[in-house]
Amino acid sequence: MDQKIINLYDEYTHTGLSRKEFMKKLAIITGSTALALTVLPLLENNYAAAATLNEDELSVEDITYPGAEGDVKAVLAKPKDKKNLGCVVVIHENRGLNPHIITVTKRLAAEGFIAMGIDALSPFGGTPADEDKGRELIGKLDPEKNLQNYLKGLEYLRSRKDGNGKTGCMGFCWGGAMSNKLAVADPKLLAAVAYYGTQPKSEDVPKIKASIMLHYGGLDERVNAGIPAYEAALKENKIDYKLYIYEGVNHAFNNDTSPTRYNEAAAKLAWQRTVGLLKDKLT
């Protein structure tokens, strides 16, 4: 697919561009409104296309835990009848806790962790089915209260008797940025993995105690613009980090429900590296 179309979709999903304006621009690139409507389903997430997972060995439940103001919703997955497990918060994209991120949470549990996918939109009653509405609500979150909800999620995991008290986090897009923020804000965090997430301020990097792993798509110019300053600060402050740029792939390359941006080879390699770090630091 034309990279201009993918870049436009990225602009639509990460800025204030309205759906009407997006469709107008898409029609210009494709040549007509009819062609734009044909291309649209290839851009939008198709959760039915996601990889399936055998859940026979997993325990999966919807839970709540005390947040900054009221309860926070989450899906919690873990191997059945196992204890002393490392714990990982999974952080969704800017659409909320959708089926894709729930599947990622379960996949991580299948690797031997207690994995908890937090619903950042809990203050609004939870993630809506309408993804445009989800993006709108993400923009209305109170940043500090939202951060506290994630920090309290890490505290909750450390308190679980089936866990070993060791915590990490991994996030995608908006969640990748939140992974970086948690690394800055929580000195107890042992590992933070950010997939194509924007970077923290350089002056905040000295606060990081966790081991950091960063995954970026080579074609993701918007997010990648912040790499040089972040990497320089990580090096200067002697933070344990690994940074990978997957050439020729787009933002959201891990999302197998996004057919035009998913890259199987990059996704599998990044997952292997991620699980390796988490097992090294949390088990």
Side-chain angles (χ1 to χ4, degrees), residues 44-113:
E44 295 182 320
N45 290 345
N46 176 13
Y47 298 123
T52 58
L53 180 70
N54 185 348
E55 299 181 28
D56 291 346
E57 302 299 320
L58 299 180
S59 170
V60 182
E61 60 180 325
D62 294 322
I63 66 162
T64 61
Y65 65 87
E69 289 185 349
D71 287 342
V72 177
K73 298 179 179 180
V75 59
L76 188 136
K78 51 168 280 191
K80 287 181 179 176
D81 304 320
K82 291 188 178 181
K83 297 181 179 180
N84 198 36
L85 300 170
C87 305
V88 185
V89 162
V90 181
I91 314 169
H92 56 64
E93 304 140 318
N94 68 343
R95 295 179 286 277
L97 187 61
N98 59 31
H100 167 59
I101 298 299
I102 292 173
T103 298
V104 170
T105 303
K106 293 174 182 177
R107 284 181 63 198
L108 197 57
E111 297 284 358
F113 300 96

Side-chain angles (χ1 to χ4, degrees), residues 21 62 84 96 138 164 170 205 236 254:
E21 188 63 22
D62 294 322
N84 198 36
I138 285 283
N164 63 8
M170 64 183 296
V205 171
E236 181 181 350
N254 181 73

Side-chain angles (χ1 to χ4, degrees), residues 2 39 76 88 90 130 144 155 183 202 216 256 260 267:
D2 190 332
V39 167
L76 188 136
V88 185
V90 181
D130 184 336
E144 182 55 34
E155 290 177 8
S202 294
Y216 297 105
D256 61 359
T260 57

